[in-house]
Amino acid sequence: MDQHIAETTGYHDAEWHAHGHHKESFVTKYIFSQDHKTIAKQFLITGIFWAFIGGILSSIFRLQLGYPDMSLEWLRPLLGGWITDAGKLDPEFYLALVTMHGTIMVFFVLTAGLSGTFANFLIPLQIGARDMASGFLNMLSYWFFFASSVVMLCSFFLKTGPAAGGWVVYPPLSALPQALQGSQGGMTLWLIAMALFIVSSLLGGINYITTIINLRTRGMTFARLPLTIWALFLTAVIGVLSFPVLFSAALLLIFDRSFGTSFYLSDIYIGGEALSNQGGSAILFQHLFWFLGHPEVYIVMLPGLGITSEIISTNSRKPIFGYRAMIGSLLGIAVLSFIVWAHHMFVTGMNPFLGSIFMILTLIIAVPSAVKVFNYLATMWKGNIRFTPGMLFSIGLVSFFISGGLTGIFLGNAAIDIPLHDTYFVVAHFHLVMASASFFGMLAGVYHWFPKMFGRMMDEKLGYIHFWLTFIGVYLVFFPMHYIGIAGFPRRYYSWTTFDVFNSFTDLNTFVTVAALITMVAQFLFLFNFFYSIFRGRVAPPNPWQSNTLEWTTPLHPGHGNWPGAIPTVYRWPYDYSKPGAEEDYIPQHIPYSQTMESNLPHENDLIALEKEEEDIVIDESSESH
Amino acid sequence: MFEVAIGLGVILVLVILLLLFRVQSLLNVARGSDKKIESTSNKVNGALLLLFMIVSIIAFFWYSIAEFDNYTLPNASEHGVLTDRMFWVTTAITGVVFILANAALFYFAFRYQYKDSGKALFYPDNHKLEIAWTVIPAIVLTLLVGYGLKVWTQITNEPPEESEVVEVMGYQFAWKVRYPGKDGMLGGYDYRLIDPVNEFGVDFSDKASFDDFVPREIHVPKGKPVLLKIRARDVLHSVYLPHFRVKMDAVPGMPTRFWFIPTKSTEEMRQETGNPDFNYELACTEICGRGHFSMRLIMVVDEPEDYEKWYNSQEPWLTQNPTYLSKVPEKLQELAAVTTGINSKN
Ligand code: HEM
Ligand SMILES: [Cu+2]
Ligand SMILES: [Cu+2]
């Protein structure tokens, strides 16, 4: 092994030095950096910022729902005119809060913050590449996201407020400034921000795909890729195929808003005036939106599933059960995610026959999802489980994925969806299966890869407290919403007291709000732990979780280029944990079979000859782009 | 002054917490317990996971059973029986999976927690098992889909010929309803004819419109099919009748519909719920702006005879708004006068 490195790395060493030593200014190192690790941290920190904004927005509207009679006068310094003279939240601002909460959480936190962080950080490190295929596009991807963030943030300061038509921004509500204050400047900024966001996401996605296809290190076949990479790969593919559709939907909406076209508008009388638009279709927008929107929930979900596959396997000290089935189900989900979108539209007046088709397709997608759950369970069965904070959050993810996924079987069934559509049952469903599950995936990832990101450990005890408060909190917030939804309470309601039929459950709603506030406060533990540990955490050992993947073979603080010497060659899959015969309970990917005679399976012994052949091929890295 | 004291107090508490945190982590390092894997915290976490499962499963059953009557709305339509039944069948099936899968998750976590002496089982796959847990969910889901398709097509089928037709129109922020009147036909409409009085934009060159009437509440007969013709005037709205398991969006420029058969009159529901003030309500479930949460309309389900009486006692809209007679074309004036009972004066 060592000899092999010495033979083949003459060139690399030279290159590494070139990398490490050329002087980088603060600006190129931390701001306009092209190093994937720095870009990942930029995404992460921006994502955390947005997560707190999104969380605080939900705390405000939860106060309104849980304590409808409470005076919110004390928020006036923050919200100004959005608090009415009676000391209440303005009903329209309530909708703006809900809308921005949804938009921020789905796109800024769980798409950019999650994929942006872990795709950037893990792809080169786990496939054995020096950086992304194009560091420059990668940098642009972050800065487009940043610009998008700035625009979205600005919309909070408009006099007419930010967009308020729901995160799905259905026209005509979002198209007509006279229908809603938020559909004035706020909506314009929303559309601009989303356009920038889509550009960012496409730049990132194309880069991730290219990198995974082209820059895998020697021996890193697709059948040896860690599941994180598979998941991030498919996430990027889904994003590249679906975001352009949202872009076109947004573009047509811009035309309708600003240039008098009628793509989505028809037969409208509003504000005492009949508009001239005719022939458009409001439903068209919904089809276009959900063509992105449904895949989007998997864009949000798959990285979390990939991350937990890795973490659960590592911490159970067991190979992931059914590696190939896991890949198969990821592929299945990725493909099917494109042909189920209209399950969001069963009661829009869409042809009921279409409803039938989409109901069949939707329930098919439950099968690969179920397979994933069973495989997680089988991975933990007879394991030797270490409850690191990352592992606890992964277990939490699996639990949410089970609990929230099952209610999808209700909503995917058109007939049951009639009473449940747009009620709190839906809010409960997607907050468990998408929001909380992916959030836990993200937190698990942060706890797990923090040592690689910052060279220090986060405090475990604080991590445990954070986990327990958040895990219990999430269940207490979202589980009761099922009951409220079965009772028929509609979502996006400022208050329920207008209706006799919804004039109950005030105690439960108060309970939910208290739970939400506690959960929210618990996140500050994380915030503290995160920033404190960056500077003062215990210095991390090189491979703190005794994990098999390549990132742990880099130095504690990998420089630009990741490995000082040659990139390790990969000889085996990433899940050789607790292999019978082996001394340690893990065998990293870069250890050749020729060194592990005692634990090789019969067919692996046959591979030793091949290893020799492969090692003789000298790869000239100068021909690889990076 | 008081605020300052509180502020100082909060800061003090934070500082103390910070110190405790620092001391604890230093102690850990000194004891070397941060390096031990079979540690107390591993055991505590394992135990807590199990405890969490037990407590929450108990809480789940307790709340679901104790509060059953509060979170289930009585049902008052024929197809509602079907959707409710399907809901509960699905709940039963998924409920079993919900409990078993979560129980397995937390139990495995507890049972197989780390032991220094232990070693995990190297068990990368088992094709028989994997096929089984792919095929079994697939079969169960196929059955659910089949069942769902049957109910769904039944609900969305063509409405029966003899349905009572009611037009429901949503606008910011209320509902309006229009009935076809004695001729059983709704008059045509055009959104360009809408004005502050003629809120439906009824086209009075269509003679079917003369006897249309616009009551303040919806009335429907018990036991007869009712066809809601749904539209919106400005933005999306959604007609939602919780007790009837009815929901359908109202879309500007694209009329939609939903038909159902009410099975309990308002009076009967008052008795069933023991609430003498009970009323069926129609709500909006598609975000439509500031007043989205307040688009309430009362719906009354009458016994068929009462419904008949009510229907026949309603005055045509045109009778109430005689100025619109001028919109009626010359050759239909006479008919309009007869239908509305107004003598046009010329
Ligand atoms: C701090 C924890 C959270 C709480 C307490 C919370 C609470 C809520 C509630 C009560 C609503 C419904 C409001 C209404 O319909 O009037 C809502 C909407 C929503 N939430 Fe959350 N949520 C939280 C975290 C998240 C996360 C992590 C996501 C990420 C996907 C998310 C995504 C959404 C979306 C997409 C909507 C729908 C917005 C809309 O109707 O336009 N939430 N949230
Ligand atoms: Cu979907
Ligand atoms: Cu509405």
Side-chain angles (χ1 to χ4, degrees), chain A residues 142-165:
Chain A
Y142 175 74
W143 287 102
F144 268 100
F145 170 50
F146 188 85
S148 163
S149 296
V150 171
V151 175
M152 198 61 97
L153 202 58
C154 283
S155 73
F156 280 96
F157 299 97
L158 294 181
K159 187 154 187 303
T160 49

Side-chain angles (χ1 to χ4, degrees), chain A residues 90 179 269 275 322 325 347 352 359 384-385 387 399 418-419 421-422 461 468 483 488 493 500-501 528 532, chain B residues 18 22 28 42 45 64 102 112 114-115 120-121 124 130 149 152 172 191 233 240 247 249 281 284-285 290:
Chain A
D90 179 79
Y269 176 91
L275 306 185
V347 296
M359 160 157 127
N384 202 16
I385 301 172
F387 298 114
S399 178
I418 297 172
H421 180 75
D422 263 343
K461 297 262 163 40
W468 281 107
Y483 301 103
Y493 262 36
D500 298 334
V501 57
F528 167 76
Y532 179 87
Chain B
L18 190 70
R22 190 73 195 141
N28 264 342
N42 213 57
N45 279 313
S64 301
N102 268 312
Y112 301 110
Y114 189 84
K115 305 245 166 30
L121 175 72
E130 289 174 71
L149 279 177
W152 171 249
Q172 289 181 324
Y191 81 104
R233 201 169 82 172
Y240 177 33
K247 192 174 288 146
D249 284 3
E281 292 168 308
C284 178
T285 49
R290 185 180 187 87

Side-chain angles (χ1 to χ4, degrees), chain A residues 161-172:
Chain A
W167 80 283
V168 298
V169 297
Y170 284 174

Side-chain angles (χ1 to χ4, degrees), chain B residues 237 284 286-288 292 295:
Chain B
H237 301 273
C284 178
E286 185 62 68
I287 183 173
C288 57
H292 172 50
M295 287 178 59

Side-chain angles (χ1 to χ4, degrees), chain A residues 285-350:
Chain A
F285 179 87
Q286 301 182 21
H287 280 295
L288 293 175
F289 180 87
W290 286 111
F291 191 86
L292 159 93
H294 191 82
E296 171 63 23
V297 311
Y298 290 99
I299 293 176
V300 161
M301 199 53 237
L302 291 190
L305 291 175
I307 287 170
T308 44
S309 302
E310 183 63 28
I311 297 179
I312 289 183
S313 170
T314 302
N315 288 295
S316 302
R317 314 309 296 162
K318 262 191 79 186
I320 192 83
F321 184 85
Y323 175 71
R324 277 166 197 276
M326 288 298 243
I327 297 173
S329 49
L330 283 175
L331 277 168
I333 290 175
V335 172
L336 287 170
S337 73
F338 281 100
I339 46 175
V340 298
W341 77 88
H343 62 210
H344 299 271
M345 300 170 60
F346 287 137
V347 296
T348 54
M350 179 180 79

